[in-house]
């Protein structure tokens, strides 16, 4: 399923480059034994474009997967609000979330934040 989704996204014409990039970053959810695919959509504008493209995408997936029962469910998902780190301690804490090995480095070299 994911391979076919990616192939479709890559086959979109250049004028759909932004939509193609969004589609490549979407994580499809397929319940075991289900014929319905849940597509998480990040905002109302993308939802509008996906609703317009839905029939073509479904037909492509049905042809590629040789399964006439595949259907897409578009689901609007709320994005987490991103908070910015301003102080050095906040910046370091944010970096630790992405790379816990920084704490080992800090401890090894006995580094302190001013």
């Amino acid at each position: 399923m994911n391979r076919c989704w990616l192939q479709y996204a890559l086959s979109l014409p250049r004028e759909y480059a932004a939509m193609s990039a969004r589609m490549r970053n979407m994580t499809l959810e397929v319940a075991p034994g289900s014929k319905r695919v849940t597509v998480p959509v990040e905002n109302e504008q993308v939802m509008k474009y996906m609703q317009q493209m839905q029939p073509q995408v479904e037909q492509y997936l049905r042809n590629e997967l040789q399964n006439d029962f595949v259907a897409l469910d578009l689901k609007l998902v709320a994005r987490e609000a991103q908070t910015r780190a301003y102080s050095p301690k906040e910046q370091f804490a944010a970096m630790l979330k992405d790379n816990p090995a920084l704490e080992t480095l800090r401890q090894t070299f006995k580094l302190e934040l001013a």
Side-chain angles (χ1 to χ4, degrees):
M1 174 65 71
N2 287 320
R3 181 184 55 80
C4 292
W5 179 265
L6 182 60
Q7 283 177 339
Y8 182 81
L10 293 171
S11 72
L12 289 174
R14 175 169 263 164
E15 57 267 14
Y16 292 102
M19 196 62 198
S20 175
R22 282 190 175 89
M23 288 179 72
R24 289 191 309 262
N25 291 324
M26 291 177 180
T27 304
L28 304 179
E29 301 168 13
V30 182
S34 174
K35 296 172 180 84
R36 302 203 67 79
V37 179
T38 303
V39 180
V41 180
E42 61 194 44
N43 61 46
E44 290 290 335
Q45 189 67 30
V46 175
M47 176 70 87
K48 179 181 157 187
Y49 286 120
M50 284 300 298
Q51 286 172 337
Q52 292 172 356
M53 294 174 62
Q54 187 172 355
Q56 293 90 348
V57 176
E58 285 179 345
Q59 190 59 46
Y60 179 86
L61 293 174
R62 289 173 183 156
N63 290 340
E64 290 297 310
L65 297 171
Q66 298 177 358
N67 183 343
D68 292 335
F69 302 105
V70 172
L72 299 177
D73 290 328
L74 304 175
K75 179 176 90 173
L76 191 62
V77 293
R79 295 190 70 167
E80 295 177 12
Q82 294 182 347
T83 57
R84 293 194 59 112
Y86 293 104
S87 73
K89 287 186 180 184
E90 289 174 341
Q91 290 174 350
F92 186 71
M95 289 189 304
L96 275 177
K97 287 181 184 176
D98 294 334
N99 190 351
L102 286 175
E103 181 61 26
T104 306
L105 183 68
R106 186 189 68 78
Q107 290 173 355
T108 303
F109 292 106
K110 297 180 176 88
L111 301 173
E112 291 183 23
L113 294 176

